[in-house]
Amino acid sequence: MFFEAHYKIIVSCIILLIVLLIIRAIVLLLVKKIGRKSGINEARIQLIQRYSTVTLFFIGLLFLSFIMGAKPEDLALVFSSVFAVIGIALFAIWSILSNITSGVIMFFSFPYKVGDKISIHDKDFPIEAVIEDIRAFQLHLRLDNGNLVTYPNNLILQKAVTLVQKDAITDGNDAI
């Protein structure tokens, strides 16, 4: 009786799940392919894959709510309320979101890789260092004197950066 009454909803949910799993597999494959082609390390590839999976999960929830019979007006009210609360809560930590967004942008379009020696043209604190790691929030830069500097992702996209030496990590002059 239950299955007969809700047959269309159950079939629609199964189709949605299959479509989302196929899209997820394609997106994960594309991210891995782009990452490997660009020479990006595996940890960053997995991070972007997690971001993609979470995004697809929320898109799936949106479609699932429509399948279950939610009206656009109801969803608009829920989403506006949720985004208002999230917006207020995240206002204090906007720099974290900015760094995460910058990390995703850097995954696809940052011209420098781990091991490259770069110079950051900052009038207050110029840096010349080897990129040791690129993380979700910051870059780890190793100075010539061996000190480790963490540099926020959002700032690296705002400053002029020059490539000093490609693959500087391999020549033995830099202690990493």
Side-chain angles (χ1 to χ4, degrees):
M1 185 74 179
F2 174 79
F3 290 110
E4 292 172 5
H6 300 292
Y7 178 76
K8 287 184 180 180
I9 292 175
I10 293 171
V11 169
S12 298
C13 289
I14 291 171
I15 291 171
L16 175 67
L17 179 64
I18 291 169
V19 168
L20 285 175
L21 288 174
I22 291 170
I23 291 172
R24 179 180 176 266
I26 292 169
V27 168
L28 295 183
L29 184 68
L30 286 174
V31 167
K32 185 174 273 195
K33 192 173 187 178
I34 290 170
R36 288 193 175 153
K37 183 179 178 186
S38 302
I40 295 170
N41 67 7
E42 199 64 34
R44 284 189 62 215
I45 292 171
Q46 290 175 358
L47 181 70
I48 299 301
Q49 287 177 330
R50 272 187 249 133
Y51 290 161
S52 302
T53 300
V54 169
T55 302
L56 282 173
F57 174 76
F58 284 117
I59 291 171
L61 283 179
L62 177 67
F63 281 110
L64 185 63
S65 61
F66 281 123
I67 290 172
M68 295 294 183
K71 297 176 189 163
E73 308 87 49
D74 299 336
L75 289 178
L77 177 66
V78 169
F79 280 114
S80 64
S81 301
V82 168
F83 283 127
V85 170
I86 290 173
I88 292 169
L90 295 178
F91 179 74
I93 56 170
W94 68 269
S95 65
I96 292 175
L97 290 176
S98 175
N99 283 321
I100 291 173
T101 305
S102 298
V104 171
I105 292 169
M106 287 171 54
F107 178 81
F108 291 105
S109 65
F110 194 57
Y112 312 112
K113 297 187 304 187
V114 172
D116 290 349
K117 187 170 193 172
I118 60 171
S119 176
I120 301 171
H121 304 284
D122 187 355
K123 73 175 191 170
D124 296 328
F125 189 61
I127 296 175
E128 186 170 304
V130 175
I131 301 173
E132 190 172 280
D133 196 6
I134 302 173
R135 303 226 172 160
F137 299 104
Q138 74 271 347
L139 269 78
H140 287 187
L141 304 172
R142 185 68 65 180
L143 300 176
D144 289 336
N145 64 8
N147 290 343
L148 179 68
V149 175
T150 58
Y151 204 82
N153 286 343
N154 62 349
L155 290 182
I156 197 79
L157 292 180
Q158 296 174 13
K159 306 288 182 186
V161 179
T162 303
L163 177 64
V164 175
Q165 182 182 357
K166 197 91 171 138
D167 295 325
I169 203 168
T170 60
D171 71 358
N173 293 335
D174 299 304
I176 300 239

